[in-house]
Amino acid sequence: MDISAQALRDRLRGTLVAAAATPMTAAGEVDPDIVTRYLAGLVEDGAGALAVLAHTGRGPYLPPATRATVIGRAVALGVPVLVGVGGEPPTGPGPAGPAGPEEEARVAASLGAAGVLVFPSPGDRLAQHEAVWRAARLPMIAFDLYTRPCPPGVLRDLLAHPGVAGLKTALLSDAMGCQLAIALARDAGRLAITGEDRMFAPSLLWGAEAALVGIAAAHVGLTAAVMRAFEGTDLRAFHEASSRLDRLATATFTGPMEGYVQRMLWLAAAEGRIPHSHAFDPYAPPLPDGERAAVLEALASGHA
């Protein structure tokens, strides 16, 4: 493993990385100062690092100028920043900007990012990671995402790449796949990172050593509490915090699954992290009438 990948692996072990949303208006406009206040609040409330422009941050949709602004505001907060590169929008039109993952990685490196989270894409995934690595020499986090799960043999190849520091698994409903991915990462000496919002506590018990989750895009203190309890000796505290987190995940990470970004933005606005004017995901699928009220009720009623 390259020394830079080893350093990032060790730096992130035990860390909650908030997969931050990108606050936007209904028209997709991004206010840099709102981004700064939002990201700073996540850090203040328990995130030890930030992942920006990833799945939750709608990175594949955003143009280069907006991406650079978000990265710069995140890096200025002084915590490790991972930047999502590559990928295709899961819904809606094609990518908003012409830059490919190699150029996105170069920009991330120039702005001081600690590493990149490489979106799964069609074609040769190992070749894609190698191209990103050669372009920027930034440590990489491989990404096993539910929209395009990675075959085990390919995972093994990715985890042998010298630039790969860890693997984030976000398979949502595939417990066996999650267990295998965690085992493969640990066997390869890489960081096993859970992105399992709906299997968060089990994934820790299965051996995940860090977390990079969209459920920490709001109400981040609850996710941090689960990780603290897991590191401690109070089983009851771990059970109680995990149960609360699971109830929040049940209300937010549900069908249509791509609606979770909008649901987390509603929560962020309700908590005062962002103004309601910037609590929109223009790329969300249609959500049922009354869903916003139901999500906020789950939070207000103490279910989370």
Side-chain angles (χ1 to χ4, degrees):
M1 187 190 314
D2 187 85
I3 190 171
S4 65
Q6 182 176 336
L8 182 64
R9 177 199 64 186
D10 296 343
R11 189 179 187 187
L12 294 181
R13 184 173 282 114
T15 299
L16 170 59
V17 185
T22 304
M24 289 184 256
T25 66
E29 298 165 337
V30 176
D31 183 317
D33 291 335
I34 290 173
V35 170
T36 293
R37 290 195 297 273
Y38 166 65
L39 297 177
L42 297 181
V43 173
E44 290 168 5
D45 289 348
L50 295 168
V52 298
L53 306 173
H55 193 206
T56 307
R58 295 307 196 199
Y61 290 103
L62 301 179
T66 300
R67 289 177 56 90
T69 296
V70 172
I71 297 168
R73 293 301 179 108
V75 169
L77 295 173
V79 298
V81 174
L82 303 177
V83 176
V85 300
E88 298 176 321
T91 59
E102 297 93 336
E103 178 59 23
E104 291 172 347
R106 280 190 287 265
V107 171
S110 72
L111 293 172
V116 291
L117 177 70
V118 184
F119 273 84
S121 297
D124 188 333
R125 297 195 194 193
L126 184 59
Q128 179 195 19
H129 284 69
E130 175 63 16
V132 168
W133 175 245
R134 287 183 177 275
R137 305 297 287 192
L138 267 183
M140 300 177 290
I141 303 298
F143 195 3
D144 196 11
L145 182 61
Y146 68 93
T147 59
R148 187 172 278 123
C150 192
V154 177
L155 279 181
R156 290 186 178 91
D157 291 341
L158 291 177
L159 290 165
H161 190 286
V164 170
L167 169 66
K168 166 186 160 91
T169 173
L171 299 177
L172 285 176
S173 61
D174 183 358
M176 293 173 64
C178 175
Q179 288 174 312
L180 177 60
I182 289 171
L184 290 175
R186 292 184 64 118
D187 288 348
R190 269 58 175 183
L191 188 66
I193 306 170
T194 179
E196 301 293 356
D197 308 271
R198 291 300 301 265
M199 298 187 288
F200 189 78
S203 65
L204 295 177
L205 295 169
W206 295 333
E209 303 164 285
L212 197 172
V213 282
I215 203 165
H219 214 45
V220 63
L222 180 54
T223 312
V226 177
M227 294 191 69
R228 286 195 303 270
F230 179 72
E231 292 297 325
T233 58
D234 189 340
L235 179 60
R236 181 179 295 276
F238 178 61
H239 177 265
E240 290 177 352
S242 299
S243 296
R244 291 176 59 213
L245 183 66
D246 190 58
R247 287 193 290 270
L248 180 61
T250 299
T252 50
F253 284 76
T254 186
M257 191 56 66
E258 283 300 314
Y260 87 87
V261 177
Q262 179 60 78
R263 298 181 191 109
M264 296 308 300
L265 286 165
W266 286 335
L267 289 179
E271 293 178 314
R273 298 181 185 278
I274 57 175
H276 291 281
S277 61
H278 285 70
F280 290 91
D281 176 18
Y283 314 105
L287 296 177
D289 292 341
E291 181 145 340
R292 178 179 179 275
V295 169
L296 298 184
E297 175 60 23
L299 186 65
S301 66
H303 292 166

